Structures are given as C-alpha cells and as structure tokens.
Amino acid sequence: TTPITDVDRQLSKTVGALQKVNSDFPGTSIAWEAQFKLADLYFKYETRSGKAAKAFESAVKTSTTLREKLFALYSLAYAFENQGKYEEAIKQLDLASGLSQPYLKAELLLSRARLLARSGKTAEAKKLYEQVSKDFANTDFARKADEWKSMSAI
C-alpha cells in the first residue's frame, strides 16, 4: 500500500465526510468529535504540516464540554511539540492546567516538564520533575518523573 502523505488528497472522502458532519451539526459533541478525528488524521499522517495544529485549534474552539476542551488542548500541545514549537505547546498545557481536574495535574506537569527540557529550559524542567516526584510520591507519575529527569541529564 502507498503511505499516506497527503490526507486531503488521499483520504478525501473521509475528510469530506468529517467536514460535513462538522458543518451539519454545529455546536454539538458529534461535530466536535468529527473535528477531533480530522485533526487526529492530520496528526498521524502529516505531523509537521501544521494542519493538525489548525484542526486541533478548531476543536478547542468548538468544544462543548470541559472534557472535550481538555482533550483538544492536550492534543494541540502535542501537535505544536511535533512542529518544534515548544513555547506554543507549553501555552496550551498551561491553558489545560487552568481548566483541569486534579487527576490530570500530574500528566500535565510531566508534559510541561518534558517540553521545557526539550526547549533547553532544564532548570525549570528539573523543578517540575521534582514537584511531580514529591506531590505524587509512590505513583507511576513519580516514577516517570524520576526516569525522565535522569534521561534528560538534568
């Protein structure tokens, strides 16, 4: 099979169907789901094109629930990270942190620390890794923070 490198061209029927759902049912969770699926296709196949970020930004704007907004912001952060736009990714994580439920705090802190480390802000990353280790002691989050901290040579 031919690898997918141009979602709009190679998956035109799928893209069209998702866009139709989005336009036919505005302001609904089903429209948001269609937009999120479209963004996910771009993320999977055209990681660095910028289309995923634009589609996830649209998913953030069209979200109808807190859960949808958090998923879209988190995914948007990953899309920006894959483009090397670490500061933009951090902004999205910060927005998600402001909205997040307590159970997401550790995951968002770990993601923020990883982005800080990748952008060369190792001192800030180290503080966040240490915060996760302390605040979420004896959890998988703490173990992951310790592991990533040591792998980053911070």
Side-chain angles (χ1 to χ4, degrees), residues 86-87 90 114-122:
Y86 303 125
E87 292 301 320
I90 289 168
R114 185 189 70 249
L115 288 166
L116 287 167
R118 290 190 75 185
S119 65
K121 297 179 179 178
T122 55

Side-chain angles (χ1 to χ4, degrees), residues 38-100:
L38 180 60
D40 199 44
L41 281 175
Y42 289 130
F43 185 79
K44 184 175 182 180
Y45 296 112
E46 295 186 39
T47 302
R48 298 191 187 278
S49 74
K51 291 179 183 179
K54 287 179 184 172
F56 282 127
E57 284 174 331
S58 181
V60 169
K61 291 175 187 168
T62 61
S63 60
T64 60
T65 67
L66 178 61
R67 179 187 156 278
E68 290 172 356
K69 185 167 268 197
L70 287 169
F71 269 118
L73 285 167
Y74 194 64
S75 299
L76 179 55
Y78 270 103
F80 281 136
E81 179 181 6
N82 282 344
Q83 292 179 335
K85 296 179 178 180
Y86 303 125
E87 292 301 320
E88 285 298 315
I90 289 168
K91 285 178 189 176
Q92 302 315 308
L93 291 175
D94 288 346
L95 287 171
S97 291
L99 300 171
S100 77

